Amino acid sequence: MLLVLTVSNGLHFLVAWEVFAVCGYFLITLDGNKRAVRTAGWLYLATSHAGTLCLCVFFGLLAVKTGGWELGPLRGDASLAPLFWLALAGFGIKAGIFPLHIWLPSAHANAPSHVSALMSGVAIKMGVYGIVRFSGWLPVPAAAGWVVMALGATSALLGIAFALAQNDFKRLLAYCSVENIGIIMIGIGGALLARSHGDAAWGRLALAGALLHVWNHGAFKALLFFGAGSVLHATGTREMSRLGGLWQRMPWTAGLFALGAVAVVGLPPLNGFVSEWLIYLGLFDAVAGKQASAWVAMPAAILLGLAGALALATFAKAGAMIFLGAARTKSAALAHECGNWMRGPMLALAGICLGLGLVPTLVWPALTSAAGAWQPVQSGGLSDCGNGEADGQRAGYPHHSGPGIVPAAVIGLTIGETHAAKPSAGGAPAMAEVPLATLGWVQLGLAGLMAAAGTLLWRKVMANNLRRGPTWDCGYAAPAARMQYTSGSFAGLASAWFSWILRPLRTMRRVHGHFPAEAIYQERVPETVLDMVILPLAARGMQVSAAVRRLQHGHLSFYILYVVVALAALASLVLLENVP
Amino acid sequence: MKLLLDLILRIDCWLLLAPLLPGIINKVKAWVAGRRGPPVLQLYYDLARLWKKGVVMSTLASPAFVILPALTWVALLSAAMLMPLGPLGAGLTFRGDALVLLYLLALGRFCTVWAAMETGSAFEGMGTVREVSYAVLAEAALIAAVLSLSVQSGSIALATMLGPPLGAGAVLLAAGLFIILLAENCRVPFDDPNTHLELAMIHEAMVLDHSGPPLAAILHGASMKLLLFAVLLVQAVLPIGQLQPLAAAAVLAAGVLGVTVAVGLVESLWARFAFRRVPLLLTTAFLLCLFALLVAWKGGPA
C-alpha cells in the first residue's frame, strides 16, 4: 500500500494498486470457510477490479496523451480534463462513494475486525488519496466541483441513513464509513469549486477540513471497529438486538466505544468536530460569498447538518443497544472483557482522538503544506516543478506561521488581488482567518469543565446517599429485558423517512384466531443499490451471456461449420468491396 | 481583573436568571386558565430541594448515569457563554463560534440520550427515539437559520451575526426560530412538560429515572437552554446592536420576556400535536428558515 503512495510512474502505480487490491481480498477472506465471507470477498474483488479497469483506461489514455508513464503536474493541458471522470469512478469505487459503495458493507462486516479497522481506517482512504492526488495534478472539468460535492452530500446523508437502519453493528460502522467519505468528498468538492472560481480562500479551508477528516476518521473508525471486534469476540454475535448491558462485563470497551462514538458524531471536544468545523467554515464562506458556488454549498451545509444529527441517532443507538440497559440474551450476559492486547490499541487510538481534538494546532502545519501542495499559489511558473510537495514549500507556505491562521499572508498577497477585482467576494481575505488555536482552547476548557463538573456532581451524589433500585417503569412491577427498545424500534421513526431508498424487507405474521400461533415480525434492510440495481442488471447480463454460450457446445462438426461460414462471409465481403 | 469580573457576572446572569423563565411560563398558563398558579420562583425552590436529596439509581445503570447530567449542563453553559448578551457581548467570540454552539447543543443531547438509555426502560427508549429523530429536522432548520444570519452579516461569529437588522426575512426567521425553540425545549405542540402520561412525552420521558442533584442539573440545564433560544431569537430578529447599551439591554430583556409569555400563551391555547404531525411542523420551520435564507441572499447588499 505504501508503494501506491510513493510511486510517480503510472504503470508502477497501477501494479501497486492491483497488489494492494488483491491483498485486500486475502485479508477479507481470512475466515474463508464461511459462505458469507466468501461472497463478500468475491464482491469486493469484482467491484475492485471494475475500479481498476477504470484506472487502467485512465492511465492508458494519460500515457497516450502525454507520451509517457511519468506522472507529474500537468495543469496546463486542458484536453486532459475529461479523464478526471474516469479517475473519479475508479478511485470512487475504492473510497465507497454512495452509488459505488456496494462492496463496502459486506466486506467490512465479514472481514475480521482488525482487518475492518485497517480497511475502513486506511484502505478506503487510498481512494480519497487518488482523487486528491490526480485532481491536484491534472486539469479538472468545470463541473467537477459540483459533481464531487453533490456525490459527497448524497453519500453523507444516505450512508448514515443506511447505517441507522442496520441491526448488524459492523455493517452499521461500514455504512458510517460511507457517510464519512461523503463528508470528506464535500470538502474536496468545495476545494475544486473554489479552484474553478479562482477564489481559493474557502476552498483551502474545506480541503484542510477534508484532509484532517481523513486522519480523524482513520483514528475513530479504527477505534470503533476494534471495540466492535472485542464485542464480537466476547459474545459471538454481530446483532445488536441480541446484546445489551455489556458495560457491566466490559467497562473498558464500553467507555472507549463511547468515546469513539462522540468523536464520530463530530461533537466537541474530540477530533471529529475539528475537521467538520473546518469544512463547515469553508461552506459557510462559500455561501456568504454569494457566488454561483453558493448554490451547491448551501444544500451541502444543510445536508451535512442533517447527516450529523442522524449520526447522533445512529451512535446513540449503537452504544445503547450494545452496552446499555439489560442483557437481551444469555451470551450477552456471559460476555467477558477483552485482553490487554486488544485494549492497548484502543487506548492508543482513543488518545489520538483526544489529542487531535484538544490540540488541533499540532496538525495545522502538515495540513497547510498539504493544501498548498494540492494547489500551489498562483504566483506563476510553479506548477511545472516535478514534485507536489516541493510546490508547497516553494510557494512559501510558512510552516512556522502562527498556528490557527490559514497562511493569511500568502492568501492575502497572491489571491488578494483577484478578490479585490471581484467585489462580490467581499472581504474574503479577512474571512480566511481560522481561529483554530482558539477552538483548541475552547475544547480544552470544555473538557476540563466537564471533568470538574462530573467529579463535583459525583461527590455530591455520594455525600447525599446513593441507593440502588430497579428501573422505574412507570409502576410496572416486573420490567424485563425484552421490554427494552430494540435496534429496529430505535431506528424506526427516522428510517421511515428514508424508506424510499432503504426498502426494508418485512416478514410479519399477526396474532389471530382463538388459539393463535407464534407471531413473527422481522425486518431487514438490504443493500438497496446492490440488490435492486446492480444484481438485476448483472442477471440480465448473465441471461445474454447464457444465450450466447449456446454456441459453445463441443460438437467439432459445428465448429468447422462456423469456420466455413465465417470464411464465406469474409470472402463475400472482400468480393463485394471489389465489385464497383 | 475586569475580565474575571465580567465572566463571573455573565455566568451569574445565566445561572440565576434562567430558572425564572419556566416560572413565568407557568404563571402565564395559570393566568389564562384563571388559576393562581405556582409562584414564579417555584423552580428555584425545587432546585434547592433536589440538591439536598439522595439519589436512587437503577441497578442496570453505570456511574455515568449520575455524571452525564453534569456534562449536559456544562455543554449548555458553554453554549450560553458563546451567546452574546446584547451590550455585554459574548464571553468569547471567534470565527465559527455559531457552529460550536450548535454542536455543543448536540453534545448536550447526546449525553442526555446516553444517560436515558442506561436504564433499559421502554419509556426512556421511547423518549430517546423521538428526541433524536426530531432533532434531525430541527438541526436542518437551525443550520438554515444560522446560514441566513451568516449571509445577512457576512460573518460566522455570533457577535457580528446578531447585530445588524435582518430586513424582510426577519418575520420568516422569527417564526422559524420560534418553532425550533418550542421543539428544542420540548414545549407544547411537540411535547407537554406537564403531562403525566408517559407515552406522550419526549424530554420528560428521558429523565424519568433521574433524581436528586442530577435531576437538579437537568432541570437547570433545560431552563438555560430555553433562555439561550429566547436570547438567540430576540437578537436574531431585533436590531439590538444599533441601540444604546442601556436601551439594548432593556429591549433584550423585554424581548426575552415577550418570547416567554408567547410560549406560555401557545401552551395555554394549543393542544399537543399528534406525533405524526410533528415532522410536518418541523419541516415548516425548516422551510421558513430556508426562505429567510433566500431572502437574505437576494435582498442583502450583493
Side-chain angles (χ1 to χ4, degrees):
Chain A
M1 194 191 302
L2 268 181
L3 215 56
V4 176
L5 295 176
T6 47
V7 295
S8 66
N9 179 304
L11 208 53
H12 296 171
F13 187 95
L14 266 182
V15 172
W17 185 263
E18 186 59 19
V19 169
F20 156 64
V22 173
C23 285
Y25 170 74
F26 287 116
L27 282 175
I28 291 173
T29 52
L30 276 179
D31 295 338
N33 51 0
K34 288 187 198 135
R35 190 184 169 80
V37 175
R38 286 200 304 273
T39 319
W42 184 244
L43 184 62
Y44 165 77
L45 201 63
T47 40
S48 177
H49 276 91
T52 311
L53 187 66
C54 291
L55 292 185
C56 280
V57 178
F58 168 67
F59 281 112
L61 287 178
L62 198 63
V64 169
K65 294 225 177 181
T66 57
W69 290 96
E70 289 302 316
L71 298 174
L74 295 161
R75 281 287 183 69
D77 191 354
S79 68
L80 293 175
L83 289 182
F84 175 76
W85 301 123
L86 276 173
L88 183 64
F91 290 120
I93 287 181
K94 187 49 123 185
I97 301 175
F98 182 71
L100 308 175
H101 69 286
I102 48 172
W103 63 274
L104 203 146
S106 61
H108 280 58
N110 287 301
S113 297
H114 50 282
V115 175
S116 315
L118 189 67
M119 290 193 63
S120 190
V122 189
I124 62 173
K125 304 299 159 39
M126 301 305 282
V128 175
Y129 163 76
I131 293 175
V132 173
R133 184 171 179 181
F134 290 101
S135 63
W137 277 354
L138 298 177
V140 294
W146 294 72
V147 171
V148 170
M149 197 181 258
L151 276 178
T154 321
S155 296
L157 186 66
L158 294 183
I160 201 67
F162 270 97
L164 178 62
Q166 298 302 316
N167 185 27
D168 173 337
F169 55 76
K170 283 184 75 181
R171 277 184 87 88
L172 181 146
L173 292 178
Y175 275 113
C176 172
S177 293
V178 175
E179 182 228 357
N180 280 287
I181 290 291
I183 294 175
I184 294 168
M185 285 296 146
I186 290 179
I188 294 175
L192 288 171
L193 262 181
R195 194 165 80 182
S196 64
H197 284 76
D199 173 30
W202 53 267
R204 276 164 206 281
L205 270 181
L207 186 67
L211 295 179
L212 183 58
H213 204 72
V214 168
W215 269 93
N216 288 341
H217 181 245
F220 54 63
K221 191 49 69 68
L223 170 62
L224 288 169
F225 266 117
F226 281 142
S230 103
V231 171
L232 183 59
H233 179 67
T235 62
T237 179
R238 298 201 307 247
E239 275 186 48
M240 284 187 278
S241 298
R242 294 180 178 276
L243 299 171
L246 285 186
W247 76 265
Q248 286 173 325
R249 296 258 171 183
M250 332 177 57
W252 281 97
T253 312
L256 292 171
F257 191 93
L259 191 97
V262 172
V264 71
V265 176
L267 297 177
L270 294 184
N271 58 349
F273 177 66
V274 180
S275 44
E276 284 197 27
W277 182 72
L278 285 173
I279 295 178
Y280 266 124
L281 280 188
L283 292 177
F284 270 60
D285 279 352
V287 175
K290 296 191 189 181
Q291 289 176 325
S293 49
W295 282 113
V296 63
M298 188 175 77
I302 293 173
L303 287 180
L304 192 56
L306 269 177
L310 277 170
L312 194 151
T314 306
F315 281 91
K317 166 182 139 166
M321 292 306 132
I322 301 175
F323 295 108
L324 304 182
R328 292 181 179 81
T329 56
K330 206 173 168 188
S331 65
L334 296 178
H336 57 87
E337 179 60 286
C338 58
N340 282 336
W341 283 104
M342 284 163 95
R343 194 185 306 155
M346 285 204 278
L347 280 173
L349 286 166
I352 294 178
C353 288
L354 208 60
L356 283 180
L358 297 184
V359 198
T361 45
L362 274 184
V363 290
W364 192 246
L367 279 183
T368 46
S369 81
W374 186 77
Q375 187 185 18
V377 177
Q378 293 130 0
S379 45
L382 277 176
S383 54
D384 54 350
C385 72
N387 184 320
E389 202 157 307
D391 277 8
Q393 282 160 4
R394 238 193 264 179
Y397 261 74
H399 284 238
H400 50 83
S401 76
I405 297 174
V406 164
V410 176
I411 293 172
L413 275 177
T414 55
I415 317 289
E417 283 96 352
T418 35
H419 269 300
K422 274 186 218 137
S424 58
M431 278 185 154
E433 279 185 29
V434 183
L436 204 64
T438 320
L439 183 73
W441 287 115
V442 168
Q443 304 246 57
L444 260 178
L446 184 66
L449 262 179
M450 284 183 143
T455 324
L456 195 76
L457 191 64
W458 179 251
R459 291 233 173 119
K460 177 70 189 161
V461 167
M462 280 302 155
N464 280 14
N465 179 26
L466 177 81
R467 283 187 298 127
R468 290 280 191 163
T471 295
W472 190 75
D473 241 4
C474 296
Y476 187 71
R482 287 182 61 191
M483 286 166 55
Q484 296 175 91
Y485 259 52
T486 60
S487 123
S489 48
F490 196 104
L493 190 59
S495 59
W497 300 334
F498 291 95
S499 56
W500 52 274
I501 177 106
L502 296 178
R503 309 257 164 190
L505 303 172
R506 289 198 181 92
T507 328
M508 187 151 61
R509 191 163 80 211
R510 287 182 180 282
V511 176
H512 70 107
H514 292 296
F515 300 100
E518 190 185 25
I520 295 176
Y521 182 81
Q522 284 180 334
E523 189 174 303
R524 195 176 70 83
V525 174
E527 170 41 59
T528 315
V529 179
L530 179 65
D531 289 356
M532 308 212 173
V533 181
I534 307 280
L535 284 185
L537 279 180
R540 186 54 59 84
M542 282 303 281
Q543 274 178 6
V544 174
S545 325
V548 174
R549 193 162 168 238
R550 271 185 224 139
L551 293 173
Q552 299 278 355
H553 36 56
H555 294 296
L556 189 62
S557 44
F558 277 96
Y559 287 138
I560 293 172
L561 181 66
Y562 293 160
V563 173
V564 172
V565 169
L567 272 178
L570 285 175
S572 58
L573 204 68
V574 173
L575 286 177
L576 284 176
E577 287 258 314
N578 290 343
V579 166
Chain B
M1 194 61 214
K2 191 161 176 291
L3 198 75
L4 201 68
L5 204 69
D6 173 72
L7 195 69
I8 291 172
L9 194 75
R10 184 184 306 277
I11 291 179
D12 284 351
C13 185
W14 282 99
L15 293 188
L16 296 181
L17 287 183
L20 261 183
L21 264 60
I24 297 174
I25 293 178
N26 282 336
K27 209 64 182 170
V28 172
K29 283 165 76 176
W31 176 71
V32 173
R35 291 182 283 117
R36 282 231 322 271
V40 176
L41 299 181
Q42 184 63 44
L43 187 55
Y44 295 91
Y45 306 144
D46 288 349
L47 290 176
R49 196 170 33 109
L50 283 171
W51 189 248
K52 287 185 221 130
K53 284 203 164 196
V55 173
V56 184
M57 192 164 112
S58 164
T59 41
L60 296 174
S62 72
F65 183 70
V66 169
I67 296 171
L68 283 169
L71 305 192
T72 309
W73 184 82
V74 167
L76 290 169
L77 182 66
S78 316
M81 286 299 108
L82 292 177
M83 175 62 73
L85 270 179
L88 269 182
L92 179 65
T93 179
F94 57 97
R95 222 170 80 81
D97 58 357
L99 294 159
V100 179
L101 188 139
L102 288 188
Y103 273 74
L104 281 171
L105 294 179
L107 176 67
R109 181 178 301 126
F110 190 81
C111 293
T112 312
V113 159
W114 192 277
M117 294 308 286
E118 291 255 355
T119 59
S121 150
F123 292 105
E124 260 111 332
M126 207 178 292
T128 303
V129 169
R130 290 169 185 166
E131 170 88 2
V132 295
S133 307
Y134 297 147
V136 173
L137 297 174
E139 183 87 9
L142 261 180
I143 294 261
V146 172
L147 264 176
S148 75
L149 288 172
S150 152
V151 166
Q152 182 68 29
S153 61
S155 155
I156 322 180
L158 277 170
T160 35
M161 271 163 83
L162 295 176
L166 200 61
V171 182
L172 292 170
L173 194 67
L177 277 176
F178 188 66
I179 298 177
I180 300 172
L181 178 145
L182 295 176
E184 283 278 326
N185 292 287
C186 301
R187 306 309 303 196
V188 143
F190 299 95
D191 187 6
D192 192 345
N194 282 345
T195 183
H196 293 285
L197 179 66
E198 294 82 356
L199 289 175
M201 303 189 303
I202 302 175
H203 186 260
E204 295 293 307
M206 282 199 296
V207 300
L208 270 178
D209 268 83
H210 284 288
S211 51
L215 183 59
I218 289 170
L219 289 179
H220 189 265
S223 68
M224 273 201 298
K225 192 174 176 187
L226 182 59
L227 181 59
L228 180 76
F229 272 90
V231 169
L232 172 69
L233 171 57
V234 171
Q235 296 196 90
V237 176
L238 298 178
I240 283 179
Q242 298 177 332
L243 300 173
Q244 297 295 321
L246 263 182
V251 168
L252 182 61
V256 170
L257 191 67
V259 170
T260 318
V261 171
V263 172
L265 286 177
V266 165
E267 257 172 57
S268 317
L269 304 177
W270 278 8
R272 195 180 56 72
F273 275 11
F275 274 115
R276 67 196 145 73
R277 282 176 63 199
V278 166
L280 229 73
L281 193 58
L282 280 172
T283 317
T284 314
F286 169 63
L287 288 179
L288 285 169
C289 293
L290 196 65
F291 285 133
L293 169 57
L294 293 178
V295 168
W297 189 352
K298 289 296 162 197

